[in-house]
Amino acid sequence: MLGLGEEWRVSRCEFDAVEGEVRLWVDELPKFWEEEGARQKQEVRLYDHVGEIEWRHLNVFEHRCVLRCRVPRGQRRDGSVYRVQPPWQGLCKHFTKAFEAMALLLLREMPVAATARRLGEHDTRLWRLLHAHVAATYPKLDFSGVTCVGCDELSARKGRRYVSVFCDLIGRRVLFACAGRDAGAWEKFVRSLGEHNGHHRAITRVSIDMCPAYMKGIAQNIGTQAQVIFDKFHVIAKANGAVDEARREEQKLCDERQRELLKDARWVLLKNEDNLSARQKRQYQGLLKSTLGTLKAYQMRIALQKIYQLACAARARRKLRAWCRWVRWSAGKYHPPILADMVKCAGMVERHLEGILAHWEGHITNAFMEGLNSVFSAVKRKARGFRSVDNLVVMLYFHAANLSNPTSH
């Protein structure tokens, strides 16, 4: 059952009913040294045995099971002494391969702390296992076919501490992640790309938000052959933020009747009309009867979204320029603070027009990365956060880098 072959044997077995634990003692057989000599390609003999070591194995029925062995040390012909690697030992010295495979499968579905409670292990050991698994499998990934890359930041913890995440938008997998949100992250990514049989000159399209540091990193490390695409979702998010800011500013300036209309209207204005609940639709109908600047900002955001539904880039260019003129003209009819952020959004569209229009060439977006962000936000909530950025990066690779199956160890 343990698959020890003809080189090892179970020399003793006992069940501790009080502890609820099955213990198996394993020793090597004489044939082990014959086969070990063939593996080492030289004569090898037994030198001595180390102290007894214990490994956690899969449960026997509902009972915890451990393997115990005084691992032998061999001596080569040149006199060098080495410790034998038991065939059942996994990536960590505390677990067998079978137990590690089962633990890793659970970790794909559950937070580390919950898995540790379920298995009766300390979560530090499971984090050590995750790091070992990623260290063993991540270097084997092949990035030779990567041509379209997306980059976005992921919040690591409070205090504006971010992790830059690079993804293959065609292969839909995480390629690289590192702490920070600066141009240096791109230098680290290019280095990692080369280590995995990829090349930065093969990248033809890059999708990012309008972060100046990322734009600088692309210019310095990727090259001019890569077309920069400003992500659709970030453009719409800027307009959404401007709508919310318009609501805040107008609440300070409007009369009591208008303030009542804006009360609890935040989520009405941040959603599309098709996604509103019955109560929110009634509230929206009330807003339509008003002349609020916030409603005008909402209509501007909806108009910007509709431009992205156009099929032709040339028509989209004309519509975007007209949208910017409309925003500035409309802003003059209201108190300056109300639509100030929407005017800034229009300026952003004008400054980055070519990168925004590049969306129409391949319809490339960071939708995969936005989905990844929401998944990891949920994971962080379940795990009550991660103890370090390294743990967050390891979890990113483990869940989304298409690493080899844990059962292949």
Side-chain angles (χ1 to χ4, degrees), residues 52 55 57 68 83-84 89 134 152 189 328 343 353:
E52 191 173 82
W55 295 265
H57 190 52
R68 292 182 174 181
R83 202 186 88 169
V84 169
Q89 181 169 297
V134 170
D152 199 3
F189 166 64
R328 289 197 171 89
V343 171
L353 185 61

Side-chain angles (χ1 to χ4, degrees), residues 300 302-327 346 349-350 353 356-357 360:
M300 290 171 180
I302 295 298
L304 183 60
Q305 281 185 206
K306 288 182 177 178
I307 293 174
Y308 273 99
Q309 297 173 7
L310 299 174
C312 174
R315 191 177 175 200
R317 182 189 293 273
R318 292 196 299 272
K319 289 288 186 179
L320 284 170
R321 285 176 171 168
W323 182 84
C324 293
R325 291 194 298 270
W326 174 49
V327 168
V349 170
E350 288 178 331
L353 185 61
I356 292 172
L357 289 169
W360 272 265

Side-chain angles (χ1 to χ4, degrees), residues 87-360:
W88 58 83
Q89 181 169 297
L91 295 170
C92 297
K93 63 182 180 180
H94 302 291
F95 304 139
T96 65
K97 291 179 180 179
F99 183 84
E100 285 187 349
M102 187 264 294
L104 288 168
L105 289 174
L106 287 177
L107 287 166
R108 287 196 185 278
E109 308 298 331
M110 301 165 60
V112 176
T115 305
R117 288 193 298 270
R118 180 71 176 171
L119 296 176
E121 290 290 340
H122 197 282
D123 63 343
T124 300
R125 284 190 173 185
L126 296 185
W127 276 117
R128 193 178 296 127
L129 169 59
L130 276 173
H131 280 266
H133 172 65
V134 170
T137 53
Y138 178 72
K140 299 176 183 177
L141 296 179
D142 182 21
F143 297 166
S144 59
V146 174
T147 59
C148 182
V149 172
C151 179
D152 199 3
E153 73 273 1
L154 182 66
S155 175
R157 60 180 62 185
K158 293 180 180 179
R160 293 185 176 273
R161 297 184 65 178
Y162 296 98
V163 171
S164 291
V165 184
F166 298 82
C167 289
D168 179 359
L169 296 180
I170 297 176
R172 299 179 71 81
R173 56 175 174 163
V174 170
L175 300 173
F176 180 71
C178 65
R181 187 179 57 169
D182 53 20
W186 285 88
E187 182 180 352
K188 296 173 185 175
F189 166 64
V190 167
R191 192 181 310 125
S192 176
L193 196 66
E195 292 169 355
H196 291 84
N197 203 29
H199 200 281
H200 63 281
R201 294 295 180 186
I203 297 174
T204 57
R205 288 175 291 182
V206 178
S207 179
I208 59 171
D209 58 13
M210 278 152 271
C211 174
Y214 283 169
M215 294 168 66
K216 179 181 177 182
I218 293 169
Q220 292 178 342
N221 298 282
I222 301 297
T224 56
Q225 85 289 344
Q227 183 182 47
V228 177
I229 304 169
F230 294 124
D231 181 50
K232 162 189 172 181
F233 295 100
H234 284 88
V235 176
I236 300 300
K238 289 284 187 183
N240 240 343
V243 174
D244 203 35
E245 189 61 30
R247 179 187 59 81
R248 291 195 191 95
E249 292 295 334
E250 195 157 33
Q251 277 184 320
K252 300 175 186 176
L253 300 168
C254 64
D255 57 34
E256 192 64 32
R257 185 184 64 83
Q258 292 174 324
R259 191 174 293 113
E260 189 64 28
L261 283 173
L262 289 173
K263 184 179 178 182
D264 299 326
R266 180 185 181 192
W267 297 111
V268 175
L269 296 167
L270 292 180
K271 289 182 178 180
N272 293 327
E273 189 175 353
D274 294 340
N275 299 328
L276 297 176
S277 66
R279 185 185 65 80
Q280 289 173 332
K281 284 181 179 179
R282 289 193 298 271
Q283 191 171 4
Y284 177 63
Q285 290 301 318
L287 288 170
L288 284 176
K289 298 174 183 177
S290 70
T291 57
L292 290 168
T294 303
L295 180 64
K296 180 64 71 174
Y298 176 80
Q299 292 169 340
M300 290 171 180
R301 194 260 291 174
I302 295 298
L304 183 60
Q305 281 185 206
K306 288 182 177 178
I307 293 174
Y308 273 99
Q309 297 173 7
L310 299 174
C312 174
R315 191 177 175 200
R317 182 189 293 273
R318 292 196 299 272
K319 289 288 186 179
L320 284 170
R321 285 176 171 168
W323 182 84
C324 293
R325 291 194 298 270
W326 174 49
V327 168
R328 289 197 171 89
W329 179 79
S330 299
K333 297 184 175 183
Y334 297 92
H335 289 289
I338 295 175
L339 293 179
D341 275 49
M342 194 60 77
V343 171
K344 290 179 183 177
C345 183
M348 176 201 71
V349 170
E350 288 178 331
R351 289 193 305 274
H352 300 96
L353 185 61
E354 296 307 317
I356 292 172
L357 289 169
H359 164 80
W360 272 265

Side-chain angles (χ1 to χ4, degrees), residues 373-385:
N373 205 331
S374 64
V375 168
F376 272 88
S377 294
V379 170
K380 283 195 294 183
R381 285 195 297 272
K382 288 180 182 178
R384 304 294 189 270

